[in-house]
Amino acid sequence: MQLTIVSANSKYDKVKQGKAKFTSAENKGYQLFKQNCSSCHTEPLFSTYEFANNGLSYNSELKDYGKWNKTFEPADKMMFKIPSLRNLAFTYPYMHDGRFKTLYEVLEHYEKGIEKARL
């Protein structure tokens, strides 16, 4: 069985359709998103569906080097698929290996400044 979450009538969608407006706080968050997140999480699906190094440390228990595990290309080490941010509150735990249990932890990771993981 496969479950599907449909997200086609969110507040964001209504704003883009001109049927609603962001509150002041929502607009500030949207501007912050556009400045810091939109290069990888492009609208309207909030992902490029490409691969990127998001600065996570290597998890030795999983032995997961990202895309490199399939391609063996050196440039693919620690490159992970960029997920959509749609329905984000329902898709925890976060990151490819589930290391973050809350959105706060994810934001804290990115707030510290992303450094490409090196091996």
Side-chain angles (χ1 to χ4, degrees):
M1 177 168 73
Q2 180 177 348
L3 299 177
T4 303
I5 301 174
V6 177
S7 176
N9 200 25
S10 68
K11 172 94 179 247
Y12 165 83
D13 296 309
K14 290 175 184 174
V15 168
K16 291 300 176 177
Q17 295 165 2
K19 297 177 181 176
K21 292 188 184 233
F22 285 136
T23 65
S24 177
E26 289 168 339
N27 192 51
K28 285 180 185 177
Y30 181 58
Q31 297 310 314
L32 187 65
F33 164 81
K34 286 178 22 178
Q35 292 170 5
N36 296 293
C37 311
S38 64
S39 63
C40 292
H41 298 282
T42 57
E43 300 175 69
L45 298 178
F46 297 100
S47 179
T48 60
Y49 295 102
E50 294 176 6
F51 290 80
N53 182 321
N54 59 359
L56 292 173
S57 59
Y58 175 68
N59 184 331
S60 60
E61 289 181 27
L62 294 179
K63 297 183 181 11
D64 188 352
Y65 292 97
K67 189 177 176 185
W68 179 86
N69 285 20
K70 298 288 183 198
T71 67
F72 301 108
E73 293 291 329
D76 290 340
K77 266 195 179 169
M78 301 307 287
M79 300 288 277
F80 297 96
K81 191 154 191 184
I82 300 166
S84 172
L85 297 183
R86 289 239 177 208
N87 294 306
L88 187 63
F90 304 110
T91 60
Y92 58 90
Y94 302 103
M95 302 307 192
H96 71 283
D97 57 4
R99 70 178 64 196
F100 299 135
K101 306 299 182 236
T102 67
L103 285 172
Y104 179 80
E105 291 176 286
V106 174
L107 292 174
E108 191 174 64
H109 165 72
Y110 287 115
E111 195 173 76
K112 291 178 183 174
I114 300 168
E115 292 183 27
K116 289 193 175 185
R118 305 214 187 277
L119 299 174

